Amino acid sequence: MDTNTTKEGEGKAMLMTKNKFPFGLRVLLVDDDRTSLQVWGRMLQACGYQVTKCLRAEDALVMLRSYRSRFDILISDLHMPGMDGFKLLQIIGLEMADLPVIVISSDDDYNTIQKGLINGACDFLVKPIPMEALKMVWKYVVCKRRMKLEEVQKQQQQQLWNVGHYYGDVHLRLPYRDHQHNLLPLNEGIKRLKRGTDGDEDECKASGDHDHVVGAKKSRMIWTADLHHKFVAIVNELGLKRAVPKKILERMQAMGVPNLTREKVASHLQKYRIYLQKQKDDALQKTDQHLAPLRRPQEIPPLGPPPPHTFNHHAQMMNTYPNHQLDLLTQFQRARTVRSIIRSSQLNNIVTTHEEFQNLPVPVEAHHGQNKPLTTTQMADDQTPTSEQIWNEIKGADHVAAKEIDGSTCTTKSELPGLHDIAPRPPPPLHDTSGDFSFFFKNNALRRSSGDCGLLLNEYTLFRDNSEDYSSLWNEICPPSQG
DNA sequence: TTGAGAATAT
DNA sequence: CATATTCTCA
């Protein structure tokens, strides 16, 4: 690479007074074409800038990583063999987001320009570049430096989000490094002292000390829903007691998950165990509090495999529960669910025995909007029927069952309306999109991220209806056992 | 400021 | 390997 920083243009068309700011602005110039490099270099020098020239983006990157603080701005050609300008932009966006980058190209295609700017270029100069444009380059440096720290960080995050690297399912974020120099929080220096590794670029020994090259270092893993799904499936398969990091790691790697380490698995396992414990505690507490006098299962039965079907009558989204979980429903939900059971089982006439009834998926009506139950007949805890009682009601007393149905006045089974006669629920008000939840799960919502978690209502978590297909959610929460 | 999730230390 | 602590981000 050509790193001479001659100042042959110094005395010529000096545009600003020496020792005043833009003078001596340190420019790193990258162009694979020697002639262009010379031309732009001289022009920039004529502007009073101090220019370092590189023929390859890779060289520029090495220089920046090693001596970041020796440059104020990067000006790079876009189309180059090897690493091109886009790639360079991306890497700089990740590693040195505070470095302003200007892209030059003879290609003035709109998409190219847009792509350059999206990737974080401050400006896009199309050849031939007028001197005036080069003169103004310093503005970007000032602009960047004036950015508030928060803004810089936000921008970094945005860029990380946009161009973060995905390796299979593992999303690796490159670590932030060395941005902002003086803007960095105080503890940055302390952290470094603690770790006893690389000092600031300028302090690092000149003896080719490049071992702190960025990006090859620590990365942070994100357990995506899919990854977690695999993880849970393996844990279930092994059994909670036998599921240890090493075994899980082996299996996950066998499933083709790259970039995993035992430590990462261990960390996730720790979190998962804490989560399970918490679920258990919460459930027990709730049980003790409200439902102690009643017959309660000792443990919350795990949600079964995804139900074979999903109710979607009358454009009303419904989800189903195995009936044996009825006891776990809240009072409101119980009352509501009872009606659903009665209605669906009777109208469809699909069960004939108590056992079948117990195994019948229970449709639970979704409710829209309000963070509170819909109006419904309250049913006191001590009146909560067991599934057997409900079954007996259905089997033996049409009268009782019928009266329960939607406050309808019909009194015998024969008077029940057909499915098609049931009026559809009015749609939720249009203006209320904030609470447009469509289904919910009991206790077992694994948060994937804060934005992804549902609204907690009683012990249920409501999820937004983002997907047509609920089975993926079921799979996530109740992974089908392998094999 | 805090809570959660991941990394790292014990 | 399990658990505690630290780090980072939102």
Side-chain angles (χ1 to χ4, degrees):
Chain A
M1 86 187 84
D2 182 357
T3 60
N4 65 357
T5 58
T6 57
K7 302 192 176 176
E8 49 200 64
E10 216 171 277
K12 292 179 184 171
M14 195 63 62
L15 295 161
M16 48 285 277
T17 319
K18 283 194 179 185
N19 303 326
K20 282 213 157 187
F21 164 64
F23 176 81
L25 191 87
R26 299 159 302 178
V27 178
L28 182 58
L29 181 65
V30 191
D31 196 321
D32 61 298
D33 180 70
R34 276 207 152 73
T35 311
S36 300
L37 198 62
Q38 290 302 327
V39 172
W40 307 131
R42 284 176 192 246
M43 285 176 75
L44 287 164
Q45 283 163 353
C47 295
Y49 302 141
Q50 178 182 319
V51 183
T52 303
K53 289 169 276 190
C54 288
L55 277 166
R56 304 186 323 132
E58 289 89 339
D59 295 336
L61 205 50
V62 168
M63 295 202 66
L64 284 169
R65 283 169 171 168
S66 304
Y67 309 106
R68 162 66 190 89
S69 58
R70 292 188 190 176
F71 302 101
D72 298 309
I73 190 168
L74 171 70
I75 300 179
S76 173
D77 190 20
L78 205 49
H79 303 293
M80 292 179 284
M83 181 186 292
D84 67 6
F86 291 124
K87 185 69 188 167
L88 185 59
L89 265 176
Q90 287 181 1
I91 294 174
I92 284 171
L94 286 166
E95 299 178 11
M96 308 162 233
D98 62 323
L99 178 73
V101 183
I102 290 175
V103 165
I104 53 181
S105 171
S106 50
D107 180 0
D108 63 349
D109 176 67
Y110 175 80
N111 289 327
T112 309
I113 294 175
Q114 194 186 35
K115 193 174 164 194
L117 296 178
I118 285 175
N119 277 303
C122 294
D123 203 350
F124 193 106
L125 303 179
V126 180
K127 298 177 188 177
I129 304 169
M131 194 69 177
E132 286 305 309
L134 291 182
K135 277 187 218 163
M136 293 303 151
V137 151
W138 62 271
K139 287 186 177 179
Y140 297 107
V141 178
V142 175
C143 184
K144 277 269 183 179
R145 283 185 185 166
R146 283 193 178 161
M147 278 184 177
K148 294 267 163 62
L149 175 61
E150 292 81 17
E151 288 168 339
V152 173
Q153 283 176 337
K154 268 181 195 167
Q155 191 184 350
Q156 286 166 351
Q157 282 159 19
Q158 188 61 43
Q159 288 179 350
L160 283 168
W161 178 253
N162 289 338
V163 299
H165 298 170
Y166 286 85
Y167 297 105
D169 286 318
V170 187
H171 182 186
L172 295 174
R173 289 180 297 186
L174 297 177
Y176 301 158
R177 289 183 54 82
D178 298 338
H179 318 123
Q180 297 104 32
H181 303 285
N182 28 14
L183 296 178
L184 267 180
L186 297 170
N187 59 6
E188 180 64 16
I190 297 169
K191 278 181 227 154
R192 286 197 178 164
L193 284 176
K194 266 198 207 162
R195 301 208 167 138
T197 51
D198 45 26
D200 197 87
E201 292 82 358
D202 280 348
E203 276 114 64
C204 81
K205 287 158 291 179
S207 56
D209 179 8
H210 291 171
D211 67 334
H212 65 301
V213 166
V214 192
K217 268 196 170 173
K218 289 161 283 181
S219 57
R220 212 176 164 87
M221 176 182 170
I222 293 177
W223 287 82
T224 60
D226 185 49
L227 264 186
H228 180 66
H229 175 179
K230 287 174 180 159
F231 169 88
V232 174
I234 291 168
V235 170
N236 286 341
E237 189 187 338
L238 292 171
L240 201 54
K241 284 183 181 174
R242 269 180 292 277
V244 294
K246 198 177 170 187
K247 287 184 183 172
I248 300 173
L249 174 68
E250 284 171 4
R251 302 222 180 196
M252 294 202 70
Q253 284 175 335
M255 292 170 82
V257 179
N259 299 80
L260 258 188
T261 64
R262 196 183 59 82
E263 285 78 9
K264 286 174 178 173
V265 174
S267 179
H268 194 64
L269 182 63
Q270 179 182 40
K271 187 190 71 178
Y272 184 61
R273 283 170 172 160
I274 290 170
Y275 162 77
L276 288 179
Q277 187 58 48
K278 197 176 159 207
Q279 294 296 79
K280 209 171 171 183
D281 291 348
D282 290 354
L284 279 177
Q285 201 182 1
K286 280 236 160 72
T287 306
D288 294 344
Q289 261 177 9
H290 306 298
L291 309 169
L294 290 178
R295 177 182 67 83
R296 287 295 127 206
Q298 290 305 310
E299 268 185 61
I300 294 198
L303 280 176
H309 58 282
T310 302
F311 291 83
N312 193 2
H313 296 148
H314 315 305
Q316 206 181 102
M317 292 305 187
M318 295 177 138
N319 217 324
T320 60
Y321 284 95
N323 201 8
H324 69 270
Q325 292 191 344
L326 264 186
D327 293 325
L328 302 171
L329 299 176
T330 64
Q331 174 178 301
F332 147 70
Q333 284 149 340
R334 243 178 259 134
R336 195 162 189 79
T337 304
V338 165
R339 288 178 183 74
S340 298
I341 297 167
I342 293 169
R343 185 171 62 197
S344 61
S345 61
Q346 280 203 323
L347 293 180
N348 295 319
N349 202 20
I350 51 178
V351 292
T352 55
T353 67
H354 177 220
E355 193 183 352
E356 281 175 353
F357 176 68
Q358 276 193 307
N359 293 326
L360 179 73
V362 179
V364 177
E365 291 178 44
H367 77 268
H368 291 279
Q370 321 319 317
N371 184 11
K372 62 185 181 195
L374 298 170
T375 314
T376 184
T377 310
Q378 291 287 313
M379 193 178 287
D381 269 342
D382 57 1
Q383 291 172 349
T384 305
T386 63
S387 63
E388 190 164 7
Q389 287 168 335
I390 296 172
W391 173 243
N392 287 333
E393 275 184 15
I394 294 172
K395 203 173 55 168
D398 281 349
H399 181 77
V400 176
K403 261 168 76 175
E404 289 286 337
I405 296 168
D406 291 337
S408 121
T409 56
C410 58
T411 55
T412 69
K413 192 174 175 179
S414 57
E415 291 178 42
L416 291 173
L419 263 183
H420 56 281
D421 292 324
I422 297 176
R425 176 193 300 284
L430 283 178
H431 63 273
D432 180 13
T433 55
S434 63
D436 189 13
F437 297 97
S438 296
F439 50 101
F440 42 88
F441 288 108
K442 180 181 178 58
N443 279 340
N444 58 356
L446 286 179
R447 283 183 49 174
R448 285 170 295 177
S449 68
S450 57
D452 208 15
C453 73
L455 174 70
L456 200 63
L457 170 66
N458 297 329
E459 70 255 57
Y460 284 78
T461 301
L462 309 184
F463 285 88
R464 290 178 185 283
D465 179 24
N466 287 328
S467 60
E468 298 286 327
D469 181 13
Y470 297 168
S471 62
S472 62
L473 250 160
W474 271 108
N475 284 337
E476 180 187 335
I477 291 168
C478 309
S481 52
Q482 296 290 315

